[in-house]
Each structure stands twice: as C-alpha cells, then as structure tokens.
C-alpha cells in the first residue's frame, strides 16, 4: 500500500490525512503518482470530506522525488510517461479545490517540493531535512507549471536560485523566502499546526472556499494542457534523456554525475 488514509474529524465535518509510504525514501513512480491522483479525485468528489493533509511517517523523507531505480528500469521510449507523471500529478493537486495542507516532516526534494508547493498551506519540521526543486541538477528542465506556482509563493528575488540553481533549503530558510508558511520544532507541534489550519479552513462555507480557490489558481488551471505540451517538448530536447539516466545511475552508484 503506497498511501495510508486516516479519516479525522474537524469542526466542519470529516477530513483525511494521507500518509505517503511508497518505499524507504517515499520516491515517486508513474504508478504511485496515479494512485495519489485517484485518491485526491475521490476525496474531492466526496461531499462529506472537508480537506486533506499530506504527510509522511518516514523519519527522514517526506518525498525524495522521482524513483531512480524505477527510471533506470524503464525503457527509453516510456521515460517521458514516467517523468511526465509528476506534471500530471501537479495538475490534480491544483484541481483539488478543497483545503490541501502539506505537513513536511523530512526531505522534500524534486517531486516532494512539487507536492508541497501545490498545497494551500505548507508547514515543515525544523531539522536537517531540506526542500528544493532539484530537477535542473539532474538534467531536467523545470516545467512551467512548477515555475508559475513557485512565483505565487516565493519572493521574486529568489526565483532564479530556486529554479535555475536547484537550491535546497532548511525549514527556516524555506520560510524566509516564502516557500514554507511555518516551521515546527517537533513532530507534535507540526501536527498541531496542520490540524489547526485544516480545522479553521473547514469552518468556511465549502462552496465559497472552492470557488475562490479555483479563481486564485485560475491561470494555472487554464494552462494545464499547455504546460503538459511544453514539458513534452522540453523533454525531447537533445541530451535531456541521457543526462537524466546518467544522474540516476550516479545516484545509484553514489558518485557525482557527469552531465553534458
């Protein structure tokens, strides 16, 4: 089971905590990304559910991005489908128009940062863990949908280092640039933050909340098909596939990649 679903009670009714438990690093595959998207669609259409907290019980990893072993085992002609899965998942996260909260208790790299930034509110545990959009460092162009969302959260002066350098940040640093909303000093405090925020949001009339959220995300929603086409074109550029496979091989072999 890739996700454990926990039903909870909030002031406005029922809600869910989705615990990611894909593997030892909570890394993403085409299959488990489709599963999460399906869960979100189900909850979004369930009138009894008021919102979602996405979290992980893994002591080290919230989500460590795309799964290297899976990508290396994927035929070249299907790599785009696997890698593009994160763009499709991002779209489903944005289309989820009920309250959506990220409870980041460990490393959130690449796809983990994507899941985090797609949420309405983002809380992170203080410690060694970092968050960052590391796609460029493994040879992948950062999709336009991610960039546009980053621009909605992060202070403009940091856009270049977040997107072009793939900089990673500890919790306090992430908060200082706007990538994270609040930092907790313990897991207990982290859960207190996320539950309190979800409870507050659940009291808002859901029709008003959903309509307003969709208007807030209107530009992103209107461009989802275009983002996907742009991602396909970017992935087909010379060298992108080779760089990605070299980066994944280097990760597996615990060495520095030789990228072109």
């Amino acid at each position: 089971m890739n996700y454990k679903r926990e039903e909870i009670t909030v002031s406005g009714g029922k809600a869910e905590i989705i615990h990611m438990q894909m593997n030892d690093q909570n890394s993403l595959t085409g299959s488990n990304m489709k599963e999460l998207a399906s869960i979100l669609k189900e909850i979004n259409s369930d009138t009894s559910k008021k919102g979602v907290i996405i979290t992980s019980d893994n002591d080290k990893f919230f989500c460590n991005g795309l799964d290297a072993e899976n990508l290396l085992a994927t035929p070249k002609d299907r790599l785009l489908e696997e890698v593009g899965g994160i763009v499709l998942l991002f779209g489903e996260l944005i289309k989820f128009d009920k309250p959506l909260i990220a409870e980041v208790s460990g490393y959130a790299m690449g796809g983990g940062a994507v899941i985090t930034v797609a949420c309405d509110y983002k809380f992170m545990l203080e410690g060694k863990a970092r968050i960052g959009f590391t796609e460029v460092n493994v040879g992948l162009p950062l999709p336009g949908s991610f960039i546009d969302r980053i621009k909605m959260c992060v202070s403009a002066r940091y856009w270049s280092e977040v997107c072009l350098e793939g900089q990673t940040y500890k919790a306090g640093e992430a908060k200082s640039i706007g990538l994270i909303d609040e930092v907790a000093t313990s897991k207990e405090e982290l859960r207190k933050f996320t539950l309190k925020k979800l409870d507050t949001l659940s009291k808002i009339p859901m029709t008003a909340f959903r309509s307003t959220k969709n208007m807030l995300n209107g530009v992103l929603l209107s461009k989802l098909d275009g983002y996907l086409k742009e991602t396909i074109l970017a992935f087909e550029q010379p060298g992108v596939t080779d760089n990605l496979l070299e980066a994944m091989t280097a990760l597996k072999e615990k060495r520095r990649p030789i990228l072109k």
Side-chain angles (χ1 to χ4, degrees):
M1 183 182 296
N2 292 311
Y3 305 94
K4 182 179 75 176
R5 298 172 62 176
E6 177 187 355
E7 187 175 280
I8 60 172
T9 300
V10 290
S11 294
K14 300 292 184 181
E16 284 199 31
I17 301 177
I18 298 175
H19 302 254
M20 294 188 287
Q21 49 184 32
M22 292 87 84
N23 46 52
D24 62 347
Q25 293 190 3
N26 273 337
S27 53
L28 300 166
T29 66
S31 177
N32 65 41
M33 286 189 283
K34 288 178 182 176
E35 184 180 345
L36 179 55
S38 178
I39 292 170
L40 291 169
K41 287 180 182 178
E42 177 193 328
I43 297 172
N44 212 33
S45 63
D46 185 342
T47 57
S48 71
K49 299 291 175 61
K50 302 299 181 180
V52 163
I53 294 170
I54 299 180
T55 189
S56 163
D57 298 327
N58 189 311
D59 288 335
K60 187 174 182 180
F61 296 101
F62 171 72
C63 174
N64 205 33
L66 296 175
D67 187 275
E69 293 279 358
N70 175 67
L71 291 179
L72 291 173
T74 300
K76 268 194 173 184
D77 61 355
R78 288 190 53 240
L79 268 177
L80 176 58
E81 181 182 346
E82 287 294 309
V83 175
I86 187 61
V87 179
L88 294 174
L89 175 59
F90 176 82
E92 293 303 325
L93 288 160
I94 294 299
K95 285 188 282 186
F96 186 88
D97 55 13
K98 295 180 180 181
L100 185 61
I101 298 170
E103 183 182 278
V104 184
S105 56
Y107 281 88
M109 311 299 281
V114 173
I115 292 172
T116 301
V117 80
C119 293
D120 305 313
Y121 293 92
K122 304 160 283 291
F123 301 91
M124 188 171 179
L125 180 65
E126 186 177 64
K128 295 180 180 179
R130 295 175 180 267
I131 183 171
F133 295 84
T134 53
E135 285 82 352
V136 293
N137 294 325
V138 297
L140 285 176
L142 194 65
S145 53
F146 304 172
I147 293 173
D148 284 347
R149 184 63 170 184
I150 289 166
K151 288 180 176 180
M152 292 174 66
C153 307
V154 174
S155 299
R157 61 177 292 195
Y158 297 103
W159 290 350
S160 292
E161 69 175 42
V162 170
C163 300
L164 299 178
E165 297 181 45
Q167 184 67 264
T168 61
Y169 305 90
K170 291 183 178 180
E173 297 167 338
K175 180 185 177 183
S176 71
I177 68 171
L179 184 54
I180 290 293
D181 295 309
E182 191 55 80
V183 176
T185 57
S186 68
K187 283 191 174 182
E188 292 75 21
E189 185 179 43
L190 182 63
R191 179 57 54 85
K192 181 179 179 180
F193 284 162
T194 57
L195 286 176
K196 182 178 180 180
K197 179 58 69 175
L198 183 56
D199 190 73
T200 298
L201 297 176
S202 75
K203 298 174 186 176
I204 299 171
M206 195 51 58
T207 300
F209 182 94
R210 299 177 80 168
S211 178
T212 303
K213 180 174 176 177
N214 284 328
M215 286 189 281
L216 180 65
N217 291 333
V219 174
L220 290 173
L221 291 167
S222 69
K223 295 171 64 177
L224 288 179
D225 289 341
Y227 288 136
L228 188 56
K229 292 176 182 177
E230 291 171 0
T231 300
I232 292 171
L233 290 174
F235 191 82
E236 291 174 344
Q237 292 182 79
V240 171
T241 299
D242 290 339
N243 277 334
L244 174 63
L245 292 175
E246 163 60 15
M248 296 299 102
T249 301
L251 181 63
K252 182 179 178 180
E253 296 175 352
K254 298 181 180 180
R255 61 173 174 81
R256 294 182 67 87
I258 303 174
L259 304 179
K260 299 177 181 178

